[in-house]
Amino acid sequence: MITPDHITPTTCPYCGVGCNLELHVKDDYIYKVTSPFDSVVNQGNLCVKGRFGYDFIYHPKRVTTPLIRKTPQTAGQRTQAFDRSEWREASWDEALDTIAERLVEIYRRDGSEAMAVYCCAKATNEDNYLLQKMYRSFFRTNNVDHCTRLCHAGSVVALQQAIASSAMSNTAAEVIHSDCFIVTGSNTTENHPIIALQMIAAVEQYGAKMIVVDPRRMELCDFAELWLPLKPGTNVPVFTAMAHVIIQEGLVDREFVDQRTEGYAEFARSVEKFTPEYAESVSGVDRELIIQAAHMYATAERGAIYWGMGISQLSHGTASALSLIHLAFLTGHIGRQGTGLNPLRGQNNVQGTSDMGCMPYHYPGYMPVDDPQNAAKWETAWNIEPGGLNQKRGLTTTEILSNAHPGGVRSLYIMGENPMMSEPNLNLTRHHMQQLEFIIAQDLFINESGAFADVFLPATSWAEKDGTFTNTDRRVQRVRQAIAPRGGARPDWQILCDLAKRIEARLERQRTAYWDYSHPREILAEMGGVVPDYAGVTYERIDQVGLQVPVWDEAHPGTPFLFAETFPSGRGKFHPLEYVPVVEQPDDEYPFILVTGRVLEHWHGGTMTRHSKLDELYPEARVEISPPDATLAGITDGQAVRVSSRRGSIVLRATVTGKTSAGAVFIPFHFAEAAANLLTIDALDPQAKIPEYKACAVKIEPAGVNELAKPEAVLRRGRH
Ligand code: SF4
């Protein structure tokens, strides 16, 4: 029995649930993770990532000293360097001076348009606030974005259009107060495991009815009253047909519609053509199931909707999310406990990173950049001359790379992201990365994107620094340093402050924003001084239990659910929709629709989990295919296959499983050896600019075992 030197309470670094952790430390080494049973978020429950996935901190490949490429890189000729022999170690002074010199040189030569930054949804609020502040205040650019673009941008734009607020409206654990809830486009059991437990408890212990709408037969279907197995990309006809039924059968909450919404009459006319019969013809869902689902949700006392990226990661992701919002408007299932519109945010701090303004259209607090009054607020806060901030909307993540050419973006700062795994159509992404003139990577490992960098800055993990994360239900929670930084690694916020002072000196701007913080609490206070939602959040107040924003002042208790009286937009706006099919339909040459996503044991591009023992549980990519499709294609379980799209090809083993509907196949995107995003299409939603990860056409052929990257790999999880 080990007696810990100390037990440090903190927040999980993986998914948006934001589970509370206790890191048990002996001799500056974390040897165990537990969770307090009285945690309001997770009641002592943890999934395999939170419980065991911390060992990446000690992985021998972790970089703990600044690195500079030995061979100077040039635009168009840029190569990847994974091997440490291609880098030389540098002092922090040399690395930061090199970066400041090159960034200022490029900015002076090519201006704001040449500068771009990827912020990081895994880093703290304070880290992200500083990085966007650095680029906006010094380089006067709004080319600032992060991976929210790639996961929930469709939901964010839809919610902004409908109610002018884009966060989850309710607390995740409130699901036990719902009579009926819809789960759609979310494999919650694998992606938000603790919320899935709460959903199952709502059904089994509290008698709620769950409706699952998803192409895959996920574990939650075992607990659902109804499962609507729709074809990928047919959300709009299915949910709008539910709206049609609700209207036709007089199930509309007229009082709510009259008092809280606008545009109902036009919307009601627009849904006339979305009959259940029509929805069945395009989605494959039995019309009776659509009618039953509409009845069940509309007649509930408290109905809620939870959705994931199966809704937003489409070239019509905005319309897809709007079709859900309409259901809540029609039934009045919002603004009360146990109701609501709940996009389940992916990464641990994607909500906070968005709140911190790490997006090209918004300053912190979702203040549009093209409003001079907003710019003036931040010019005052950052001590910038009036009119100094750029009020032109910036480029999104995918646009930043597609603009990597002379006259466009020339330099890219990547803090903790991995576009070479997460962007669609990776062969094209590789080409774009090669065109950049200067790349900085700030991370723990040299991942597929960091391998393209000129300078690598070693950051600390979440267990080696202080800060805050904001989870999927808007709860701001503490992140606490449990162990000393490994080697020469430094917290992101300290790296950024030291770099900022060097840039400031070279730009000869001596009195711009403040960069002399002694602790992250001062950074949060600076941001909260301008952003009303965070005005009442202090480190002291969230020391024991987090607060759910908005928190208007230091006496405000936080906001478990939103919109009790009104929406930020005043009335909620209906938006008549059309059904727009996915861009690439299956055909004779490419007969399957590929859906991409995550598995329980891994996280995104795999920078952390693939340097963890978790990788031994799930060491290789698999393509999931339905039994009838496998029979037709002559494929057996475990066989090596080649999956190809019009953009690329990968070899991996097949898993034949009834989880996948006929005509669709599923591949997780965590594995560089068989990167699913080599196949995906770079078609974007025109409003949200989110790529269509959830549908592209592919073909599957048998391949040789010798073509597998890791033929010896054994999948140990045993739960297909
Ligand atoms: S459910 Fe999410 S937050 Fe909780 S332990 Fe698992 S990965 Fe961490």
Side-chain angles (χ1 to χ4, degrees), residues 41-76:
V41 176
N42 53 304
Q43 300 86 38
N45 294 307
L46 294 174
C47 80
V48 69
K49 290 192 292 295
R51 182 83 66 187
F52 301 112
Y54 57 88
D55 52 333
F56 66 86
I57 298 169
Y58 306 107
H59 195 281
K61 282 194 173 172
R62 184 165 160 201
V63 182
T64 57
T65 191
L67 301 175
I68 295 177
R69 286 288 280 273
K70 286 182 180 170
T71 307
Q73 298 294 297
T74 53

Short mmCIF file of all heavy atoms in Angstrom, two decimals, residues 41-76:
data_model
loop_
_atom_site.label_atom_id
_atom_site.label_comp_id
_atom_site.label_asym_id
_atom_site.label_seq_id
_atom_site.Cartn_x
_atom_site.Cartn_y
_atom_site.Cartn_z
N VAL A 41 -20.35 16.33 -11.03
CA VAL A 41 -20.26 16.02 -12.46
C VAL A 41 -20.34 14.51 -12.70
O VAL A 41 -21.12 14.04 -13.53
CB VAL A 41 -18.94 16.56 -13.06
CG1 VAL A 41 -18.79 16.15 -14.52
CG2 VAL A 41 -18.89 18.08 -12.92
N ASN A 42 -19.54 13.73 -11.97
CA ASN A 42 -19.41 12.32 -12.31
C ASN A 42 -19.61 11.37 -11.15
O ASN A 42 -19.45 10.15 -11.32
CB ASN A 42 -18.06 12.05 -12.97
CG ASN A 42 -16.89 12.55 -12.16
OD1 ASN A 42 -16.82 13.72 -11.82
ND2 ASN A 42 -15.96 11.68 -11.86
N GLN A 43 -19.95 11.88 -9.98
CA GLN A 43 -20.30 11.03 -8.83
C GLN A 43 -19.30 9.89 -8.61
O GLN A 43 -19.68 8.75 -8.31
CB GLN A 43 -21.72 10.46 -9.00
CG GLN A 43 -22.83 11.48 -9.10
CD GLN A 43 -23.02 11.98 -10.53
OE1 GLN A 43 -22.92 11.22 -11.48
NE2 GLN A 43 -23.30 13.26 -10.70
N GLY A 44 -18.03 10.16 -8.80
CA GLY A 44 -17.01 9.14 -8.56
C GLY A 44 -16.75 8.20 -9.72
O GLY A 44 -15.84 7.38 -9.68
N ASN A 45 -17.55 8.29 -10.79
CA ASN A 45 -17.35 7.42 -11.94
C ASN A 45 -16.31 8.01 -12.88
O ASN A 45 -16.26 9.24 -13.08
CB ASN A 45 -18.66 7.26 -12.72
CG ASN A 45 -19.71 6.54 -11.92
OD1 ASN A 45 -19.46 5.45 -11.41
ND2 ASN A 45 -20.89 7.14 -11.79
N LEU A 46 -15.51 7.16 -13.48
CA LEU A 46 -14.55 7.58 -14.51
C LEU A 46 -14.55 6.54 -15.62
O LEU A 46 -14.76 5.35 -15.36
CB LEU A 46 -13.14 7.69 -13.94
CG LEU A 46 -12.88 8.77 -12.89
CD1 LEU A 46 -11.47 8.61 -12.33
CD2 LEU A 46 -13.06 10.16 -13.49
N CYS A 47 -14.26 6.97 -16.84
CA CYS A 47 -14.07 5.99 -17.91
C CYS A 47 -12.60 5.60 -17.95
O CYS A 47 -11.77 6.11 -17.19
CB CYS A 47 -14.56 6.54 -19.24
SG CYS A 47 -13.39 7.65 -20.06
N VAL A 48 -12.27 4.70 -18.87
CA VAL A 48 -10.91 4.14 -18.91
C VAL A 48 -9.86 5.22 -19.20
O VAL A 48 -8.73 5.14 -18.70
CB VAL A 48 -10.87 2.98 -19.95
CG1 VAL A 48 -11.03 3.52 -21.38
CG2 VAL A 48 -9.61 2.17 -19.82
N LYS A 49 -10.23 6.25 -19.94
CA LYS A 49 -9.24 7.30 -20.24
C LYS A 49 -8.91 8.11 -18.99
O LYS A 49 -7.76 8.36 -18.68
CB LYS A 49 -9.76 8.25 -21.35
CG LYS A 49 -9.82 7.61 -22.72
CD LYS A 49 -10.06 8.62 -23.80
CE LYS A 49 -11.43 9.26 -23.74
NZ LYS A 49 -12.54 8.33 -23.98
N GLY A 50 -9.97 8.54 -18.28
CA GLY A 50 -9.73 9.34 -17.09
C GLY A 50 -9.04 8.54 -16.00
O GLY A 50 -8.20 9.05 -15.27
N ARG A 51 -9.37 7.26 -15.87
CA ARG A 51 -8.83 6.43 -14.79
C ARG A 51 -7.38 6.01 -15.06
O ARG A 51 -6.55 6.02 -14.18
CB ARG A 51 -9.72 5.19 -14.65
CG ARG A 51 -9.33 4.24 -13.55
CD ARG A 51 -9.85 4.62 -12.19
NE ARG A 51 -11.30 4.54 -12.08
CZ ARG A 51 -11.99 4.96 -11.02
NH1 ARG A 51 -11.35 5.49 -9.99
NH2 ARG A 51 -13.31 4.88 -10.99
N PHE A 52 -7.09 5.65 -16.32
CA PHE A 52 -5.78 5.04 -16.60
C PHE A 52 -4.95 5.79 -17.65
O PHE A 52 -3.80 5.42 -17.88
CB PHE A 52 -5.97 3.59 -17.06
CG PHE A 52 -6.68 2.73 -16.06
CD1 PHE A 52 -7.96 2.26 -16.32
CD2 PHE A 52 -6.08 2.42 -14.86
CE1 PHE A 52 -8.63 1.47 -15.39
CE2 PHE A 52 -6.74 1.63 -13.93
CZ PHE A 52 -8.02 1.15 -14.18
N GLY A 53 -5.53 6.77 -18.30
CA GLY A 53 -4.85 7.35 -19.46
C GLY A 53 -3.93 8.51 -19.15
O GLY A 53 -3.79 9.41 -19.98
N TYR A 54 -3.26 8.51 -17.99
CA TYR A 54 -2.37 9.62 -17.63
C TYR A 54 -0.90 9.31 -17.85
O TYR A 54 -0.04 10.18 -17.68
CB TYR A 54 -2.59 10.00 -16.16
CG TYR A 54 -2.37 8.86 -15.19
CD1 TYR A 54 -1.11 8.61 -14.66
CD2 TYR A 54 -3.42 8.03 -14.81
CE1 TYR A 54 -0.88 7.54 -13.79
CE2 TYR A 54 -3.22 6.97 -13.94
CZ TYR A 54 -1.96 6.73 -13.43
OH TYR A 54 -1.75 5.68 -12.58
N ASP A 55 -0.57 8.07 -18.22
CA ASP A 55 0.83 7.66 -18.29
C ASP A 55 1.60 8.27 -19.46
O ASP A 55 2.82 8.18 -19.51
CB ASP A 55 0.94 6.13 -18.32
CG ASP A 55 0.07 5.50 -19.40
OD1 ASP A 55 -0.95 6.10 -19.77
OD2 ASP A 55 0.43 4.41 -19.90
N PHE A 56 0.89 8.95 -20.38
CA PHE A 56 1.61 9.63 -21.46
C PHE A 56 2.58 10.68 -20.91
O PHE A 56 3.56 11.03 -21.56
CB PHE A 56 0.62 10.27 -22.44
CG PHE A 56 -0.20 11.38 -21.86
CD1 PHE A 56 0.28 12.68 -21.84
CD2 PHE A 56 -1.46 11.13 -21.32
CE1 PHE A 56 -0.47 13.71 -21.29
CE2 PHE A 56 -2.22 12.15 -20.77
CZ PHE A 56 -1.72 13.44 -20.75
N ILE A 57 2.31 11.16 -19.71
CA ILE A 57 3.18 12.18 -19.09
C ILE A 57 4.63 11.68 -19.05
O ILE A 57 5.56 12.45 -19.22
CB ILE A 57 2.70 12.48 -17.66
CG1 ILE A 57 1.30 13.06 -17.66
CG2 ILE A 57 3.68 13.40 -16.93
CD1 ILE A 57 0.69 13.13 -16.26
N TYR A 58 4.79 10.36 -18.82
CA TYR A 58 6.13 9.80 -18.59
C TYR A 58 6.68 9.07 -19.81
O TYR A 58 7.70 8.41 -19.74
CB TYR A 58 6.08 8.82 -17.41
CG TYR A 58 5.48 9.44 -16.18
CD1 TYR A 58 4.20 9.09 -15.75
CD2 TYR A 58 6.18 10.40 -15.47
CE1 TYR A 58 3.64 9.68 -14.63
CE2 TYR A 58 5.63 11.00 -14.35
CZ TYR A 58 4.36 10.63 -13.94
OH TYR A 58 3.81 11.23 -12.84
N HIS A 59 5.99 9.17 -20.93
CA HIS A 59 6.42 8.40 -22.11
C HIS A 59 7.81 8.86 -22.58
O HIS A 59 8.09 10.06 -22.62
CB HIS A 59 5.39 8.59 -23.23
CG HIS A 59 5.53 7.58 -24.32
ND1 HIS A 59 6.50 7.68 -25.30
CD2 HIS A 59 4.86 6.42 -24.57
CE1 HIS A 59 6.39 6.65 -26.12
NE2 HIS A 59 5.41 5.87 -25.70
N PRO A 60 8.69 7.92 -22.92
CA PRO A 60 10.06 8.30 -23.31
C PRO A 60 10.12 9.20 -24.54
O PRO A 60 11.12 9.91 -24.73
CB PRO A 60 10.75 6.96 -23.58
CG PRO A 60 9.68 5.93 -23.62
CD PRO A 60 8.53 6.46 -22.84
N LYS A 61 9.09 9.17 -25.37
CA LYS A 61 9.13 10.03 -26.57
C LYS A 61 8.70 11.46 -26.29
O LYS A 61 8.72 12.32 -27.18
CB LYS A 61 8.23 9.44 -27.67
CG LYS A 61 8.86 8.27 -28.38
CD LYS A 61 8.09 7.97 -29.65
CE LYS A 61 8.82 6.89 -30.45
NZ LYS A 61 8.01 6.44 -31.58
N ARG A 62 8.28 11.73 -25.06
CA ARG A 62 7.83 13.10 -24.77
C ARG A 62 8.99 14.08 -24.92
O ARG A 62 10.11 13.80 -24.46
CB ARG A 62 7.24 13.17 -23.35
CG ARG A 62 6.69 14.54 -23.09
CD ARG A 62 5.81 14.63 -21.91
NE ARG A 62 5.76 16.03 -21.51
CZ ARG A 62 5.43 16.47 -20.33
NH1 ARG A 62 5.07 15.62 -19.40
NH2 ARG A 62 5.43 17.77 -20.07
N VAL A 63 8.73 15.22 -25.51
CA VAL A 63 9.76 16.23 -25.72
C VAL A 63 9.78 17.16 -24.51
O VAL A 63 8.73 17.69 -24.12
CB VAL A 63 9.48 17.05 -27.00
CG1 VAL A 63 10.60 18.06 -27.23
CG2 VAL A 63 9.34 16.13 -28.20
N THR A 64 10.95 17.33 -23.92
CA THR A 64 11.03 18.17 -22.72
C THR A 64 12.10 19.26 -22.84
O THR A 64 12.48 19.87 -21.85
CB THR A 64 11.32 17.31 -21.47
OG1 THR A 64 12.54 16.59 -21.68
CG2 THR A 64 10.18 16.35 -21.18
N THR A 65 12.58 19.49 -24.04
CA THR A 65 13.50 20.61 -24.26
C THR A 65 13.17 21.22 -25.62
O THR A 65 12.72 20.50 -26.53
CB THR A 65 14.96 20.11 -24.22
OG1 THR A 65 15.84 21.22 -24.19
CG2 THR A 65 15.30 19.24 -25.41
N PRO A 66 13.31 22.53 -25.79
CA PRO A 66 12.99 23.13 -27.10
C PRO A 66 13.86 22.52 -28.20
O PRO A 66 15.02 22.18 -27.97
CB PRO A 66 13.31 24.61 -26.89
CG PRO A 66 13.22 24.82 -25.42
CD PRO A 66 13.69 23.54 -24.80
N LEU A 67 13.27 22.41 -29.38
CA LEU A 67 13.97 21.81 -30.52
C LEU A 67 13.89 22.73 -31.73
O LEU A 67 12.87 23.41 -31.94
CB LEU A 67 13.32 20.47 -30.89
CG LEU A 67 13.29 19.37 -29.83
CD1 LEU A 67 12.50 18.17 -30.34
CD2 LEU A 67 14.70 18.96 -29.43
N ILE A 68 14.94 22.72 -32.53
CA ILE A 68 14.98 23.47 -33.80
C ILE A 68 15.42 22.50 -34.89
O ILE A 68 16.34 21.69 -34.68
CB ILE A 68 15.94 24.68 -33.71
CG1 ILE A 68 15.40 25.69 -32.69
CG2 ILE A 68 16.13 25.34 -35.07
CD1 ILE A 68 16.30 26.90 -32.46
N ARG A 69 14.76 22.57 -36.03
CA ARG A 69 15.12 21.67 -37.14
C ARG A 69 16.55 21.90 -37.58
O ARG A 69 16.99 23.05 -37.75
CB ARG A 69 14.19 21.91 -38.33
CG ARG A 69 12.81 21.38 -38.16
CD ARG A 69 12.75 19.86 -38.23
NE ARG A 69 12.78 19.39 -39.60
CZ ARG A 69 11.69 19.26 -40.36
NH1 ARG A 69 10.50 19.55 -39.88
NH2 ARG A 69 11.79 18.82 -41.60
N LYS A 70 17.29 20.81 -37.81
CA LYS A 70 18.67 20.95 -38.27
C LYS A 70 18.72 21.46 -39.71
O LYS A 70 19.53 22.32 -40.06
CB LYS A 70 19.39 19.60 -38.18
CG LYS A 70 19.75 19.19 -36.77
CD LYS A 70 20.49 17.86 -36.79
CE LYS A 70 20.87 17.44 -35.37
NZ LYS A 70 21.38 16.06 -35.33
N THR A 71 17.85 20.93 -40.54
CA THR A 71 17.82 21.36 -41.94
C THR A 71 16.79 22.47 -42.11
O THR A 71 15.60 22.24 -41.87
CB THR A 71 17.43 20.18 -42.86
OG1 THR A 71 18.29 19.09 -42.58
CG2 THR A 71 17.51 20.57 -44.32
N PRO A 72 17.24 23.69 -42.50
CA PRO A 72 16.27 24.76 -42.66
C PRO A 72 15.19 24.36 -43.67
O PRO A 72 15.49 23.78 -44.72
CB PRO A 72 17.12 25.93 -43.18
CG PRO A 72 18.51 25.59 -42.77
CD PRO A 72 18.61 24.11 -42.78
N GLN A 73 13.94 24.68 -43.33
CA GLN A 73 12.81 24.32 -44.18
C GLN A 73 12.39 25.51 -45.05
O GLN A 73 12.45 26.65 -44.61
CB GLN A 73 11.63 23.89 -43.31
CG GLN A 73 11.91 22.67 -42.46
CD GLN A 73 12.12 21.42 -43.31
OE1 GLN A 73 11.21 20.98 -43.99
NE2 GLN A 73 13.32 20.87 -43.27
N THR A 74 11.96 25.22 -46.26
CA THR A 74 11.49 26.29 -47.14
C THR A 74 10.10 25.94 -47.66
O THR A 74 9.76 24.75 -47.78
CB THR A 74 12.44 26.48 -48.35
OG1 THR A 74 12.61 25.21 -48.98
CG2 THR A 74 13.79 27.03 -47.91
N ALA A 75 9.34 26.98 -47.95
CA ALA A 75 7.98 26.78 -48.46
C ALA A 75 8.02 25.96 -49.74
O ALA A 75 8.83 26.21 -50.64
CB ALA A 75 7.33 28.13 -48.71
N GLY A 76 7.14 24.98 -49.82
CA GLY A 76 7.06 24.12 -51.00
C GLY A 76 7.95 22.89 -50.88
O GLY A 76 7.70 21.88 -51.54
#
